[in-house]
Amino acid sequence: MAKLIDGRVIAENVYVELRREIAELKSKGIAPGLAVVLVGDNPASRTYVRSKDKMCRALGLHSVKLELPVSTTQDELLARVQRLNRDPSIHGILVQSPAPKHIDEEAIVRALDPGKDVDGFHRENVAKLVIGDASGFVPCTPLGIQRLLIETKIDIDGAHVVIVGRSMIVGKPLALLLMQKNKNANATVTVVHSRSRDLEKITRSADILVAAIGQATFVKGAHVRDGATVIDVGINRLEDPASERGYRLVGDVAFDEVARKAAAITPVPGGVGPMTIAMLMSNTVKAARQSLPRSGALPATS
Ligand code: GUN
């Protein structure tokens, strides 16, 4: 049976570090601030936005939660983003995806101040990830996956990482992050997706297999090599009248059969999810830190 990688415990370790850093920033007169914008009433998005707000408050971050009606226009949303760009109490801005159909999300992301883009979706941050410029923001889920692997002491350096899924939020940025030239990366990365030929043959050659395709239980035992590490990014709601909420959460991995083969695996919930929120908090603290004038940058007063 595979060892369970507990994202909740590892996220707690991240929060210990962050609390220290937040106290230091506050001693310099800065309370890191995060604005989360939700348009419409997607129930899953509401839950995510609420947990982000709750975590900000638990850490003593300044939190602004904007819940806008589904009737909000593109121009109104742009104006909100521009106001947040100018607000000095806000260091990070996140516009929750998916937005309603009439919203052009790409245009909204482009309007963000790249220095406040804690999601790492703005093209300036995407470019910095490609280049390997550490001043940029890396999307939270890939960053959380890397941290999970590091804290669990699973060697990424030289490993074959196979990522199932090519999204802009997970698959693509994770591939870029893990192929970087440093000891916490240096992976050989393969990205497979719905159109890949011989998908099973490729996933079976993975030392580390990441499932981020957005389909419940897509990755089966037959996709996994004995002894591999399996990271499940999926959060799929399956109707379940027997459960209190009327649904249960399942990942992109058929957990029981894969856990019998893998050496280590993340559960859903309690694996990648808590790390994504922890990395959002971490990116917000980084944004606040980078907003400080660098010592020596200001002209001396006489
Ligand atoms: N929806 C699902 N994941 C994310 C995320 O990481 N950021 C934003 N903005 N929306 C999401």
Side-chain angles (χ1 to χ4, degrees):
M1 214 28 206
K3 166 192 154 74
L4 265 193
I5 303 176
D6 191 334
R8 292 190 179 116
V9 168
I10 298 171
E12 273 312 314
N13 298 339
V14 173
Y15 291 131
V16 171
E17 269 172 36
L18 284 180
R19 282 200 166 89
R20 203 175 310 134
E21 212 175 329
I22 291 163
E24 197 184 318
L25 283 167
K26 284 189 171 171
S27 75
K28 292 178 180 159
I30 289 202
L34 174 68
V36 177
V37 185
L38 172 65
V39 186
D41 46 17
N42 179 307
S45 294
R46 264 178 189 276
T47 310
Y48 297 144
V49 167
R50 220 167 285 147
S51 53
K52 287 164 187 171
D53 179 52
K54 226 167 92 183
M55 190 49 73
C56 277
R57 289 169 195 279
L59 291 174
L61 298 185
H62 172 53
S63 172
V64 172
K65 186 174 63 165
L66 285 180
E67 293 185 287
L68 307 176
V70 68
S71 58
T72 306
T73 66
Q74 178 82 9
D75 285 348
E76 282 165 349
L77 183 56
L78 273 176
R80 291 281 191 164
V81 166
Q82 281 153 358
R83 205 181 307 158
L84 292 168
N85 280 345
R86 289 190 300 268
D87 184 339
S89 76
I90 296 296
H91 304 94
I93 307 169
L94 178 149
V95 180
Q96 186 68 33
S97 189
K101 280 197 192 65
H102 65 276
I103 299 289
D104 176 355
E105 287 191 58
E106 174 53 38
I108 301 295
V109 168
R110 225 176 302 144
L112 287 171
D113 174 346
K116 296 190 178 188
D117 168 38
V118 285
D119 257 333
F121 296 165
H122 189 283
R123 51 193 61 203
E124 188 172 312
N125 288 314
V126 176
K128 284 183 173 178
L129 177 58
V130 175
I131 294 163
D133 176 342
S135 74
F137 292 100
V138 177
C140 304
T141 301
L143 211 49
I145 292 169
Q146 184 187 39
R147 188 68 181 260
L148 271 182
L149 293 168
I150 294 168
E151 299 291 328
T152 315
K153 301 196 166 32
I154 290 163
D155 218 1
I156 307 171
D157 195 330
H160 185 204
V161 178
V162 176
I163 302 166
V164 187
R166 53 179 158 179
S167 72
M168 279 302 299
I169 298 187
V170 185
K172 276 189 209 172
L174 181 63
L176 288 164
L177 183 64
L178 297 186
M179 74 168 77
Q180 281 184 343
K181 201 169 184 172
N182 66 63
K183 69 174 172 40
N184 289 325
N186 287 335
T188 304
V189 179
T190 304
V191 179
V192 294
H193 46 77
S194 54
R195 301 285 296 157
S196 294
R197 209 170 292 151
D198 295 329
L199 187 134
E200 250 183 57
K201 192 170 140 202
I202 299 167
T203 57
R204 266 204 303 270
S205 77
D207 300 307
I208 301 169
L209 179 60
V210 181
I213 196 155
Q215 275 187 53
T217 67
F218 178 89
V219 171
K220 313 284 189 209
H223 290 93
V224 180
R225 179 176 65 72
D226 280 324
T229 296
V230 178
I231 305 292
D232 190 351
V233 182
I235 307 179
N236 307 286
R237 288 184 177 207
L238 286 195
E239 261 187 61
D240 182 5
S243 115
E244 204 178 294
R245 289 176 293 190
Y247 66 87
R248 69 191 160 92
L249 295 179
V250 294
D252 289 355
V253 174
F255 185 87
D256 293 339
E257 58 178 275
V258 171
R260 264 181 248 124
K261 297 182 84 179
I265 187 168
T266 61
V268 174
V272 173
M275 291 304 292
T276 296
I277 296 193
M279 292 301 115
L280 175 64
M281 302 297 127
S282 170
N283 274 351
T284 302
V285 170
K286 174 177 170 174
R289 196 187 332 118
Q290 291 187 164
S291 77
L292 281 170
R294 270 184 292 144
S295 52
L298 293 174
T301 48
S302 54

